[in-house]
Amino acid sequence: MSFTIEQLGPQHTDALRSLLVKDPPHNVYLLGLFEEFGIVPRAGRARFAFHGRFDASKNLTAALFVGGEGGLVVPSANESSFICDIAKTLASQVRLQASLGEKSSVDELVRHLGGSGKTRLTRTQRLFSVSADDLGPFTNPTLRLAREEDIPRLMPLALGAVRETLERDPLAEDPCGYEARVMQRVRGRRTYVLEEQGALVFKVDVGSRSQHGAELEGLYTVPHERNKGHATLCLGQISRHLLSSLPRLILRLDDKHESLARIARKVGYLSGRVQRIVLLE
């Protein structure tokens, strides 16, 4: 079957949107990037591009987001062979540093765009999704948006989430940049916290977001407050709150973190396809 690979431009906006909304749960991350940044960079914004695979009838069959020259590469939820076709075409232009998406597609991206880069991190994950109709009766109305004055108390939780789930130390890798990202999320009203007796004991972030759904990230309960139901009640609360205006939410959870998967299922999240996140040096 003949096909062509093209960098997408404004004339492809409707085609890209139509492609991504065919599978919203598995394209939530890309839909958020697309809705926030558009299909081409605006003046003064960081460089990125969408690349597409078109069949012989000029239908868009797969897409690939490339930030910079490979700082972040995200495939659409399509056949991995289609993603492979795009990757082969970009092999001389892109050196992958980070990618997330369906495991089979990310594996193809690493094979064709990873070069000789050494793997810093790789995680196999499961995507979970939920709609309002799936939710159980779990709520905690004291969950609230984090405020700027919370940041000194929030930082240990934010660090703990990364260290525990990704086994990385963001302060060692990029201390100024990491704290700025925590601050940015708080200012963007994307971080929620639970406070008990003057201490923050739980946090969750809203990551990629669009009219088609949002991704929750960084669920974290401080160790001495675990097994008290905080995560279950707070996940139920944030899910109910966001699903009052969004059609779906997703979570990506590592296979080895079965306790979080049990919490997600209890709240009403349904298991989806296998995902992978990879970071290369």
Side-chain angles (χ1 to χ4, degrees):
M1 181 185 295
S2 63
F3 64 87
T4 57
I5 307 298
E6 299 179 28
Q7 183 170 328
L8 304 184
Q11 70 274 23
H12 300 115
T13 296
D14 290 342
L16 178 57
R17 182 181 296 109
S18 296
L19 174 75
L20 297 179
V21 299
K22 289 178 181 177
D23 189 352
H26 290 87
N27 282 320
V28 160
Y29 195 92
L30 267 186
L31 283 162
L33 292 175
F34 177 47
E35 193 163 295
E36 182 174 359
F37 299 111
I39 200 167
V40 295
R42 301 182 185 94
R45 301 301 295 265
R47 187 160 55 90
F48 70 85
F50 282 94
H51 300 268
R53 179 192 185 276
F54 294 83
D55 64 17
S57 300
K58 296 300 180 182
N59 297 310
L60 182 63
T61 57
L64 188 67
F65 172 89
V66 179
E69 296 179 352
L72 175 63
V73 181
V74 185
S76 60
N78 299 102
E79 291 185 32
S80 60
S81 61
F82 292 175
I83 301 300
C84 178
D85 291 336
I86 303 175
K88 288 178 179 178
T89 302
L90 299 178
S92 63
Q93 308 168 40
V94 175
R95 284 293 173 263
L96 185 146
Q97 296 176 319
S99 184
L100 63 94
E102 293 194 32
K103 184 179 183 299
S104 57
S105 293
V106 172
D107 288 346
E108 291 291 350
L109 293 173
V110 171
R111 185 157 68 95
H112 293 288
L113 303 179
S116 58
K118 182 180 178 182
T119 301
R120 284 197 295 144
L121 169 80
T122 182
R123 289 283 185 277
T124 301
Q125 301 175 313
R126 180 72 64 173
L127 185 141
F128 289 82
S129 65
V130 70
S131 65
D133 293 339
D134 301 322
L135 285 175
F138 303 103
T139 60
N140 185 340
T142 61
L143 184 75
R144 62 170 175 83
L145 279 167
R147 301 183 288 263
E148 288 193 38
E149 58 264 32
D150 293 321
I151 288 177
R153 295 184 298 161
L154 175 62
M155 280 297 294
L157 280 72
L159 290 168
V162 175
R163 289 167 176 163
E164 191 167 291
T165 59
L166 299 180
E167 298 177 4
R168 298 167 49 214
D169 185 351
L171 284 187
E173 296 174 3
D174 183 15
C176 296
Y178 183 72
E179 188 164 357
R181 288 191 293 275
V182 173
M183 173 74 80
Q184 183 180 34
R185 283 197 166 181
V186 170
R187 288 177 173 171
R189 299 171 63 85
R190 291 197 171 207
T191 297
Y192 290 77
V193 294
L194 177 66
E195 185 172 358
E196 294 277 319
Q197 299 180 343
L200 300 184
V201 300
F202 173 87
K203 68 161 280 282
V204 61
D205 299 313
V206 181
S208 184
R209 177 172 179 163
S210 74
Q211 62 180 311
H212 302 285
E215 180 168 356
L216 298 180
E217 302 174 349
L219 277 77
Y220 184 76
T221 306
V222 296
H224 64 276
E225 288 288 334
R226 293 176 184 176
N227 301 313
K228 296 182 179 181
H230 294 317
T232 300
L233 295 177
C234 289
L235 180 58
Q237 179 71 29
I238 186 67
S239 299
R240 191 169 297 278
H241 170 66
L242 293 174
L243 288 171
S244 66
S245 59
L246 295 172
R248 65 188 57 81
L249 300 173
I250 69 163
L251 283 166
R252 297 173 207 268
L253 298 176
D254 287 5
D255 283 348
K256 69 177 186 177
H257 292 131
E258 180 55 32
S259 60
L260 285 178
R262 284 197 300 270
I263 289 168
R265 292 189 185 99
K266 187 175 182 180
V267 170
Y269 282 74
L270 304 175
S271 179
R273 298 194 289 270
V274 178
Q275 308 284 296
R276 184 185 179 194
I277 181 172
V278 63
L279 303 179
L280 302 180
E281 291 183 350

